[in-house]
Amino acid sequence: MEIKKEYKNDELIMSPIGRLDTITSDDLNNAIIEEKDNLNSLILNFQGVDYISSAGLRVLISNMKSLKNEDKSLTIINVNDTILEIFKMSGFDKILKIE
């Protein structure tokens, strides 16, 4: 999985590309942890994500909680219909901030 990063002041836009599954979810988790101290707001651009598994969902929830505890925000943008359906089926659309 490739993860592009772009800072705009204290806001980080992170754009993972590919599948977010058991094999790649640690890559995203580690990338977020690595940058967490440098940001106040994290935007995950899912334009290049074509699949998410339960492992990927766990990474999103755990990082959302961790960031929230530090008064930081996590927003997910550009979610395709397939992933949005997974978010809805799992109830994550009510927990995560998705734009």
Side-chain angles (χ1 to χ4, degrees), residues 2 4 6 8 11-12 15-16 18 22 31 33-35 39-40 43-44 46 65 69 77 80 83 86 90 92 98:
E2 180 184 352
K4 296 180 180 179
E6 177 186 351
K8 292 184 178 176
E11 178 179 81
L12 173 61
S15 303
T22 305
I33 290 170
E34 193 176 280
E35 299 290 339
L39 58 87
N40 281 326
I43 296 175
L44 292 177
F46 265 35
K65 288 179 181 178
N69 287 338
I77 62 171
N80 70 35
I83 293 177
I86 293 169
S90 63
F92 279 48
I98 303 168

Side-chain angles (χ1 to χ4, degrees), residues 18-35:
R19 296 171 57 91
L20 188 51
D21 56 23
T22 305
I23 296 169
T24 61
S25 61
D26 279 345
D27 295 340
L28 180 60
N29 190 55
N30 292 335
I32 293 171
I33 290 170
E34 193 176 280
E35 299 290 339

Side-chain angles (χ1 to χ4, degrees), residues 23-78:
I23 296 169
T24 61
S25 61
D26 279 345
D27 295 340
L28 180 60
N29 190 55
N30 292 335
I32 293 171
I33 290 170
E34 193 176 280
E35 299 290 339
K36 198 163 71 165
D37 292 337
N38 302 324
L39 58 87
N40 281 326
S41 174
L42 174 62
I43 296 175
L44 292 177
N45 181 355
F46 265 35
Q47 185 172 8
V49 178
D50 51 21
Y51 173 80
I52 188 166
S53 72
S54 59
L57 293 173
R58 279 191 300 274
V59 166
L60 297 179
I61 288 297
S62 68
N63 281 289
M64 183 208 65
K65 288 179 181 178
S66 175
L67 289 166
K68 188 175 182 179
N69 287 338
E70 297 178 22
D71 291 323
K72 299 177 180 185
S73 66
L74 170 67
T75 304
I76 303 170
I77 62 171
N78 297 323

